[in-house]
Amino acid sequence: MAKSYRFDPNKIEIAAGDTVTWTNNDNFTHTVEVDGRDDHTVGRGDSFSMRFDKPGTYHYVCTLHSRDMDGTVIVT
Ligand SMILES: [Cu+2]
């Protein structure tokens, strides 16, 4: 979830094969870019989902507000 220029929670642990959905509850457009690839624009009220098949630690960021908006997905 993105709100007030933050991802909340900004750290999540999932199992391989699970899907993470980012929902933008903010009044501004944000993006989700995972590990520096495929930046996805997420407008107000929109969502972006991504399935994680491989275990590992993934870093994501909103490229519009990268100083404040980042997070981690841990896939086990
Ligand atoms: Cu943003």
Side-chain angles (χ1 to χ4, degrees), residues 5 29-31 62-65 69:
Y5 294 108
T29 294
H30 295 295
T31 78
C62 167
T63 56
L64 301 177
H65 314 106
M69 296 187 68

Side-chain angles (χ1 to χ4, degrees), residues 13-71:
E13 196 171 321
I14 62 171
D18 283 352
T19 297
V20 174
T21 300
W22 289 264
T23 302
N24 185 354
N25 292 319
D26 216 340
N27 289 322
F28 312 93
T29 294
H30 295 295
T31 78
V32 176
E33 183 185 81
V34 180
D35 276 354
R37 289 190 301 262
D38 298 336
D39 194 19
H40 297 271
T41 299
V42 186
R44 285 173 61 177
D46 288 342
S47 297
F48 165 68
S49 294
M50 181 170 165
R51 194 171 119 173
F52 292 80
D53 288 324
K54 290 186 184 172
T57 300
Y58 298 84
H59 184 249
Y60 63 87
V61 63
C62 167
T63 56
L64 301 177
H65 314 106
S66 57
R67 191 179 303 174
D68 297 316
M69 296 187 68
D70 64 346

